[in-house]
Structures are given as C-alpha cells and as structure tokens.
Amino acid sequence: MGSRWRGWRTVVARPVTDLTDDRSPADHLGMDVLLPRALEEALELAASNREVVPIAGGTDVMVELNMDLGRPETLMDVSTLPELAQWRRENGHLFLGAGVTYTRIMRELPEHRALVQASRSVGSPQIRNRGTVGGNLGTGSPAGDALPVLAAWDAEIVLARAGGSIRSVPWRDFLTGVKQTAREPGELILGARWNVPQGPGSFSKIGTRNAMVIAVANLCLQVDEPGRTIRVALGSVAPTVVRAHDAETFAAQAFEDAGVWEDPRATLGSDVVERFGELVATAAKPIDDVRGTSAYRLHACAVMARRTLLWAIEDRRSGDGA
C-alpha cells in the first residue's frame, strides 16, 4: 500500500499507530506522508497523530525542509481534499476554503481587489498555482501576504476536529506570535470567513525586488462605506499582523470633517494625508533584519498608507470602489 521515495514513505488510510512499527535504525531520517481521501479521514488522522503537519501547496514547509530548519516525522497532504478547495457566499459573507489557491482567487474572485492584489504578489506563477491562504494561516508568519487583507476585513478562521467539532476564531486571536497560531493539536484549518466589504480597498507590498520576494512591509487599506470606517492592517512589521487603530479613527473623522463620506468629489488636505501616514507607522513595531531596517520599514508604512488612502479617495470619486 505504500512506497518509499528518497526517505519519504507514503501511507494511504493506515492507522497512524502503525506508521512507526516497520522503521529500521537506518530510517531515522525517513518521513511518513499521509494521503487522506476525504476531510473526515484527514480529521481522524490528525486526531490520532497530534504532531502531524498538514501540507497543501508546501510553499512554506518545503522551504524549511530543504534548508534543514525542521523535519516533522509525519506530513499529511490535504491538497486533494475537495472540501477545502471550495469557496462560497453565505448571507453577505464569503467563505474561502483553506485549499483554494492564489491562482484561483485571481481568476474566480476578481471583485475582491485587495485579496487579488495580495495573491498576485505571491511568488511566481508556479507558487501561486500551489500556494493557498490556508497555508499563510497555518504558517502564521507576519510576512504572509494574504494576512493583512484578512485582518483589514475582520475575517474569522474556521477550524475543525474529528467528531464534527467546528469553531471560529477572529484573526487577531488566531495569530498569536511569530509563526504561532491558536490552532490546537488535532485541528485542521477549514478556511476563512468574512463580511464582504463595501468600498474601495487595496493591498501594497514593499520588497527587495519586484517578484519572488518576502515582504519587507505590506499593508491593506479598506474603506467600509456602510460603517463609515477605514481599516488599515500591516504585515511584516511586528510579531503578528497589526491594525493601525489610531490611524483608522483619524481617517474616518477626517472623511467626516471634509465631507468625503457624503461627497466622493471632496478631498483631504495634504497635511491630513501626511498625518495619516505618520499614525499608521506608529502601529508598527519593526526590527532590523537582512531584508530591511526598522527605520526603513516605518518609512515604508507611512508611504504606503498615504498612497493607499489617496487611491481609495480617487476610487470613490471615479465610482471604482471594489
């Protein structure tokens, strides 16, 4: 039922308790790969082996393996599970399955502009064909490109375990630290759910080159027309994705004072836009690393904030609010 390839042992629908029985001392670098055929089977395997590492596109896990930064004893390939490869609309909300790839987001959800822009910034076409938002969530890196979008949209993360238990966790409670999440042993990420925003929004990313790069800083700005609020989320500038709450409050009031909410043709003064950028930067808690200094990241946050706010105003003026 199984085959060995370069130290990997593929196991289909075998109880996890049987996996280590036939290992020899020379096989200490081997790895078991589980291939469940349905979600419930995957959940049962996760419950039986609480240290299993789920893998879909593998764009994060395989890098760690290749760089010898970690080697889990057991991987579980969930990329073929049809239950995770779905997205659907639910009473004004959108549910995005953990297995939906970035390429599919770009093709099938064009009206969700910020998420499409974030998806387009991920790696190469080959990586976008394999990578998923569920992978971003599972890794929990503050540089994950999709995460500021989910934060700006106040998404909740849907988790499941064997026996039909499902829970939803707000994004801010799910992302607990650098590559740390609230996912518990035995749980799998089903996907993310959010209330579809009404208003213009965009995603911006700064890297050391134009493609195939981890973000030095990224930002999502979303205007919420019904609630008359502006949401700003930052990535790669703190231990987790963060919201710029002071800047959000300032911008919403500035829209009110200038009459921008009532009249899309109204504008903001340059001093207001400048102050907004400064407030966004104060939400960041960056570090110096090989990709950029903390000072550069703070500057980048302010620049992206000013640009995205002006883009949102222009989109409202032109009627292009997505």
Side-chain angles (χ1 to χ4, degrees), residues 47-199:
S48 300
N49 184 353
R50 296 164 70 86
E51 300 302 319
V52 69
V53 175
I55 183 172
T59 57
D60 290 324
V61 174
M62 296 308 297
V63 170
E64 293 193 352
L65 285 171
N66 290 335
M67 296 182 67
D68 202 24
L69 297 176
R71 191 174 185 84
E73 291 188 2
T74 307
L75 294 177
M76 179 163 60
D77 183 2
V78 298
S79 64
T80 61
L81 300 182
E83 298 91 339
L84 301 185
Q86 303 171 2
W87 65 267
R88 59 185 178 272
R89 304 187 190 280
E90 303 173 340
N91 300 320
H93 289 71
L94 189 137
F95 176 83
L96 181 72
V100 178
T101 65
Y102 293 112
T103 296
R104 286 186 57 201
I105 290 171
M106 294 163 58
R107 183 175 64 244
E108 300 174 23
L109 297 170
E111 68 276 18
H112 294 263
R113 179 189 297 171
L115 186 59
V116 169
Q117 290 173 338
S119 299
R120 189 178 294 120
S121 77
V122 175
S124 64
Q126 295 91 336
I127 292 175
R128 293 192 290 271
N129 286 341
R130 292 289 297 173
T132 64
V133 173
N136 259 188
L137 289 167
T139 299
S141 168
D145 291 317
L147 301 186
V149 181
L150 298 185
W153 290 353
D154 280 328
E156 57 184 15
I157 315 308
V158 183
L159 302 150
R161 64 172 65 247
S165 175
I166 296 177
R167 67 184 180 114
S168 297
V169 182
W171 70 268
R172 60 177 55 85
D173 297 327
F174 181 80
L175 301 171
T176 59
V178 178
K179 295 190 176 182
Q180 297 177 352
T181 72
R183 185 176 73 88
E184 298 176 353
E187 286 186 322
L188 294 180
I189 299 172
L190 294 187
R193 180 190 296 115
W194 61 85
N195 187 27
V196 177
Q198 298 180 41

Side-chain angles (χ1 to χ4, degrees), residues 31 47 82 85 103 113 117 145 192 210 225 231 273 290 302 310 319:
M31 180 181 297
T103 296
R113 179 189 297 171
Q117 290 173 338
D145 291 317
N210 288 332
E225 298 278 6
R231 309 173 195 166
V273 177
V290 295
L310 292 174

Side-chain angles (χ1 to χ4, degrees), residues 210-276:
N210 288 332
M212 296 287 290
V213 64
I214 299 173
V216 174
N218 53 28
L219 179 150
C220 179
L221 182 143
Q222 179 66 51
V223 176
D224 174 26
E225 298 278 6
R228 292 197 170 193
T229 62
I230 295 172
R231 309 173 195 166
V232 184
L234 302 170
S236 204
V237 293
T240 66
V241 173
V242 294
R243 286 274 292 271
H245 294 296
D246 290 345
E248 293 175 348
T249 302
F250 174 82
Q253 187 60 52
F255 270 42
E256 189 73 37
D257 295 342
V260 177
W261 290 121
E262 289 80 10
D263 183 5
R265 295 170 298 177
T267 60
L268 297 179
S270 59
D271 58 331
V272 173
V273 177
E274 186 73 22
R275 179 57 179 159
F276 174 71

